[in-house]
Amino acid sequence: MVKFASYEVRDLFISMAVITLAFSIFFRNDYDGNFLFLIPATLIGVVPGFLFHELAHKFMAIKYGFDAEFKMYMPGLFLALASSFFGIILAAPGAVHINGDRMISDKENGKIAIVGPLTNIILAILFGVLAIILLVIGIIIDPNYDNFINSPLGYLGYIGVIGFLINSAMAAINMLPWGIFDGSKVFDWSKMIWGVIAAIAIVMAIIPIILMML
């Protein structure tokens, strides 16, 4: 049975709030810096991306018979906020801490770690598909792109783009093969699997940069 301690729920909500604010600051030039538009959009991208990422770790750990609880990491949250003012996001908001009656194997640890970034990759794809579908519908309704981007449909499309960017970034950052990142555990388990997933995450993260250069 999956249980959540009161402090675990608190840490999850605080972490989500801080990461949402950090990404809102990162995207602060969008919509003329209107946070009434930015915060809801980033919130929709962050909440499923962050929450499902951490829950995936927790559920997988429990599946292997371990106790697992999320604990926020205050220095990592401050780093996320501080870095967002400089046009980057360096986020290590916390982690799922695993305990049990036996030693965890590299394979188990790797599988527990990889489900987080995989969740973000899936969410990024879903957000990206949403953005493309809404863009196509918007162009069919009104070929004028400026009219589309300033319409409610365009804002929903913007949410799709933001969701794609946020979840792609989360996947790529978490697949770094060192320190506290998920990638270090996946790397220790299987370098081939790490290479495939890391490559997918990195490609998805740089797609927007490539598109902006075209």
Side-chain angles (χ1 to χ4, degrees), residues 7-207:
Y7 62 82
E8 183 179 14
V9 176
R10 176 205 64 197
D11 285 4
L12 283 167
F13 273 100
I14 291 174
S15 299
M16 281 190 290
V18 173
I19 296 302
T20 297
L21 180 58
F23 273 105
S24 296
I25 295 171
F26 178 81
F27 293 115
R28 62 188 177 275
N29 293 324
D30 291 0
Y31 276 91
D32 297 321
N34 189 334
F35 270 55
L36 291 176
F37 287 97
L38 290 175
I39 290 181
T42 54
L43 186 65
I44 293 172
V46 166
V47 169
F50 175 79
L51 187 60
F52 293 168
H53 176 113
E54 300 302 340
L55 291 181
H57 290 320
K58 183 180 179 78
F59 292 159
M60 183 62 79
I62 291 173
K63 177 182 177 181
Y64 282 122
F66 296 98
D67 294 324
E69 292 182 339
F70 175 82
K71 295 180 180 179
M72 66 181 175
Y73 180 57
M74 290 303 297
L77 292 174
F78 284 123
L79 177 62
L81 277 178
S83 64
S84 66
F85 285 98
F86 297 95
I88 57 174
I89 295 289
L90 298 174
V96 171
H97 292 250
I98 301 170
N99 298 291
D101 298 328
R102 61 181 177 84
M103 289 290 293
I104 187 170
S105 68
D106 285 344
K107 183 177 181 179
E108 291 170 331
N109 210 19
K111 287 186 176 182
I112 292 170
I114 201 170
V115 292
L118 282 176
T119 299
N120 291 126
I121 289 173
I122 292 171
L123 285 170
I125 292 172
L126 293 176
F127 274 114
V129 170
L130 173 66
I132 293 172
I133 290 174
L134 291 174
L135 175 62
V136 171
I137 293 174
I139 292 176
I140 291 174
I141 295 174
D142 187 346
N144 189 314
Y145 180 77
D146 289 334
N147 291 339
F148 165 73
I149 202 64
N150 292 309
S151 69
L153 193 65
Y155 181 67
L156 291 176
Y158 174 73
I159 290 175
V161 171
I162 291 295
F164 175 84
L165 294 174
I166 289 174
N167 281 278
S168 295
M170 284 184 177
I173 291 171
N174 276 285
M175 284 306 295
L176 293 174
W178 61 75
I180 63 173
F181 297 108
D182 296 329
S184 65
K185 304 177 185 68
V186 179
F187 189 84
D188 290 340
W189 163 45
S190 171
K191 293 176 177 56
M192 183 182 72
I193 293 177
W194 172 84
V196 172
I197 303 303
I200 293 172
I202 292 172
V203 168
M204 290 177 65
I206 65 174
I207 283 176

